Structure formats: C-alpha cells, structure tokens
Amino acid sequence: MAESITLRVNGEERIAPAGLCLERLLEALGYQPRLVVVEFNGSILSRQNWPSQPVVESDVLEVVTIVGGGS
C-alpha cells in the first residue's frame, strides 16, 4: 500500500499520496493547476515554485479556482 498524508484543503481534511510536489498534489486532488491560486500554509505561493514545493503531513492549503466569464 502506498504511503499517504493527511492535510487540510479549503478547511477540509484530505488524504493524498505522500511525496508529491504542490503541482502534482493539485492534480491528484482533481484541480487544474493553471486555473487556481494557492495559499500554502498562510502565504500565497508563486506558481513557479509549485514544482519544487514539497507537500507534507499537516500542510494547510486554500485553493481558489479562477472563474472566467462576463455578461
């Protein structure tokens, strides 16, 4: 069985595979990384840092989906 971690995403506890970077974690959780902004442990994290940002047990993410549109 693969290792997993528990983290908090948008106020809810989520289980995810261990050993992922932020970009891969977002994909594993069903997000399209190009369409979200992420607050990572209380700070907005630049998209260019996502591939090198490890995600570990108890990290806290707020993921905001960018929605386009108009009238």
Side-chain angles (χ1 to χ4, degrees), residues 60-71:
V60 177
L61 286 73
E62 289 295 326
V63 182
V64 179
T65 302
I66 300 168
V67 179
S71 46

Side-chain angles (χ1 to χ4, degrees), residues 9-46:
V9 179
N10 294 344
E12 295 182 7
E13 194 170 272
R14 300 285 298 266
I15 306 295
L20 298 180
C21 67
L22 179 57
E23 186 172 48
R24 296 292 167 247
L25 173 81
L26 291 169
E27 292 170 349
L29 294 176
Y31 292 101
Q32 293 183 34
R34 63 184 182 83
L35 298 177
V36 299
V37 175
V38 178
E39 181 182 288
F40 185 79
N41 293 330
S43 299
I44 299 295
L45 190 62
S46 173

